[in-house]
């Protein structure tokens, strides 16, 4: 599949997921900014995929990424970030969202699992109450948070590329 075909609107995604559900597939939703894709992101997405049959990744829009990360971010626009995430083999579908969290996507998509990275615990996931109410399992996946875009940018500014 061409990676551009993996990037869908919410409406397109809902239709596609209905087809997967009809075949008994377990749907996983992961999300993030993914500004400068790094090994931590890839491990997070691989871990999320292991939780089900179909992995949907919600990428923050430019406006929501800026609100979360501050001035100067994101470095890459939402289309570029969505394309990079779509190119990861573990990812089935990508959608861009413009909210501070993915509560509305949990409501709209009703995944079986909501995957979050190891910088969260089950009690700190912002969408935990919505997930609980909808019967969506939360999975903390990926390797310990030793990789971040913020750290990578700091190293690049310092000239420390090793």
């Amino acid at each position: 599949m061409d990676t551009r075909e993996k990037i869908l609107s919410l409406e397109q995604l809902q239709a596609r997921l209905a087809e997967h559900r009809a075949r008994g597939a377990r749907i996983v939703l992961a999300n993030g900014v993914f500004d400068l894709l790094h090994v931590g992101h890839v491990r997070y997405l691989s871990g999320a995929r292991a939780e089900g049959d179909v992995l949907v990744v919600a990428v923050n829009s430019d406006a929501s990424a800026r609100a979360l990360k501050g001035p100067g971010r994101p470095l890459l626009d939402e289309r570029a970030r969505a394309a990079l995430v779509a190119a990861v083999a573990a990812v089935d579908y990508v959608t861009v969202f413009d909210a501070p969290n993915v509560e509305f996507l949990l409501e709209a998509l009703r995944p079986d699992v909501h995957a979050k990275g190891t910088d969260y615990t089950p009690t700190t996931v912002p969408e935990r109450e919505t997930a609980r109410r909808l019967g969506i399992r939360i999975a903390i996946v990926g390797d310990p948070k030793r990789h971040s875009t913020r750290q990578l940018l700091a190293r690049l500014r310092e000239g420390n590329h090793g």
Side-chain angles (χ1 to χ4, degrees):
M1 174 185 293
D2 183 325
T3 57
R4 290 173 294 198
E5 293 174 16
K6 290 182 172 185
I7 303 170
L8 304 176
S9 69
L10 179 59
E11 296 75 22
Q12 292 170 317
L13 189 53
Q14 286 172 313
R16 196 72 57 88
L17 294 181
E19 296 169 11
H20 286 288
R21 269 194 200 87
R23 294 191 296 270
R26 288 176 304 139
I27 311 299
V28 180
L29 175 68
N31 68 284
V33 174
F34 304 101
D35 195 11
L36 289 188
L37 198 61
H38 56 70
V39 69
H41 291 137
V42 173
R43 291 175 182 160
Y44 163 58
L45 296 173
S46 295
R49 176 54 189 258
E51 296 292 326
D53 304 307
V54 176
L55 176 58
V56 176
V57 180
V59 173
N60 289 80
S61 69
D62 291 344
S64 65
R66 201 167 11 269
L68 286 169
K69 302 296 183 178
R73 300 282 299 276
L75 299 172
L76 301 174
D77 69 40
E78 62 196 46
R79 284 174 295 193
R81 292 180 289 115
L84 285 169
V85 170
V88 174
V91 175
D92 294 294
Y93 301 109
V94 176
T95 194
V96 175
F97 74 102
D98 195 37
N101 65 49
V102 293
E103 286 181 327
F104 83 97
L105 283 175
L106 292 177
E107 294 271 3
L109 301 177
R110 304 288 173 115
D112 299 286
V113 180
H114 180 35
K116 297 296 271 189
T118 57
D119 46 337
Y120 291 95
T121 68
T123 59
T124 63
V125 170
E127 305 88 0
R128 69 188 171 282
E129 287 305 316
T130 300
R132 183 197 54 75
R133 180 174 50 79
L134 297 172
I136 298 167
R137 182 172 64 82
I138 292 175
I140 306 299
V141 300
D143 62 356
K145 183 81 175 185
R146 290 190 296 258
H147 319 280
S148 77
T149 301
R150 183 171 285 125
Q151 290 170 340
L152 180 58
L153 288 172
R155 285 181 38 215
L156 289 170
R157 285 186 192 110
E158 294 167 1
N160 179 7
H161 307 294

